[in-house]
Amino acid sequence: VCLGNNTSFADASSISSGSISSYSWDFGDASALSSLQNPSHNYSSAGNYIVTLTVTSAAGCSSSISNLVTVNALPNASAGSSQIICNGSTATLSASGGTSYVWSNGANTSSINVSPSASATYTVTVTDANGCSASASADVTVNPLPVAAYSGTAVCLGNNTSFADASSISSGSISSYSW
C-alpha cells in the first residue's frame, strides 16, 4: 500500500448457521472505527498498522482477526535542477529517487537530453521498488540567440575606419561584445 492511496478491505468472514449482524474495523491508526462490511481507509502517514476486524453474529457471538498492513512512503522524487540554455543548446535533466522513471516527453530513463525551442517544463514520475510513485518537475528556460551585425564605412588605405554595432536580440539584452 502506498501513502495517499485508499486501502480497500474485503470481509471474508463466514458463519456456519445464522448470520453476521455487525462489523467493526479498527485500522490501527487511532482513527474512527468503521462498521461497513467492506470499507476503504486512507492512512495519513507511512508505517506498519495492525488492522483488526471484529464480526458479531445475530446471536451476539463475536470473533476477531488481525493482520499487518504496511503503508509505504512515497519516493522522494527529483527531476534535477531547472536550467537556462540558449536557443539551439541542449539541457540534461537527471531524475532520482526511484527505480523507474517516465518523463512527460515519453522518455523512460533517469536522465534526458532536451533541446526545446521555447521555455518548457518537464515532469517525471518516479516509481520505487514498492510500486509507489511521485512526480517532480524541472524548468528549462530558453534564451534567444543574438543576431550579430555591424556597419562600417569605406575608407582609403591608411585611414581609420569606423564600425557601428547593429546587433539585435528578440528579448533581453546583449551583455558583451568582442571585436
Side-chain angles (χ1 to χ4, degrees):
V1 176
C2 300
L3 184 64
N5 293 341
N6 275 334
T7 304
S8 297
F9 296 93
D11 168 50
S13 305
S14 62
I15 190 168
S16 59
S17 67
S19 63
I20 297 173
S21 61
S22 69
Y23 303 85
S24 178
W25 291 88
D26 180 345
F27 302 111
D29 63 351
S31 63
L33 300 178
S34 173
S35 60
L36 297 175
Q37 182 178 2
N38 298 302
S40 64
H41 186 69
N42 195 331
Y43 288 92
S44 61
S45 60
N48 293 318
Y49 300 93
I50 302 295
V51 177
T52 301
L53 168 62
T54 302
V55 293
T56 304
S57 70
C61 300
S62 295
S63 177
S64 296
I65 185 171
S66 296
N67 285 306
L68 178 70
V69 171
T70 299
V71 178
N72 296 299
L74 299 180
N76 186 14
S78 172
S81 300
S82 291
Q83 297 185 29
I84 300 172
I85 62 171
C86 294
N87 194 4
S89 296
T90 299
T92 299
L93 301 175
S94 297
S96 62
T99 56
S100 69
Y101 306 90
V102 177
W103 289 90
S104 53
N105 68 351
N108 59 3
T109 56
S110 61
S111 292
I112 60 172
N113 293 319
V114 295
S115 300
S117 58
S119 296
T121 299
Y122 293 87
T123 301
V124 63
T125 300
V126 175
T127 303
D128 66 14
N130 295 315
C132 298
S133 298
S135 295
S137 297
D139 296 321
V140 176
T141 302
V142 179
N143 288 327
L145 294 174
V147 176
Y150 67 90
S151 61
T153 57
V155 295
C156 295
L157 182 63
N159 292 337
N160 286 333
T161 302
S162 296
F163 295 99
D165 172 48
S167 302
S168 63
I169 191 165
S170 61
S171 66
S173 62
I174 298 173
S175 63
S176 67
Y177 299 86
S178 178
W179 293 86

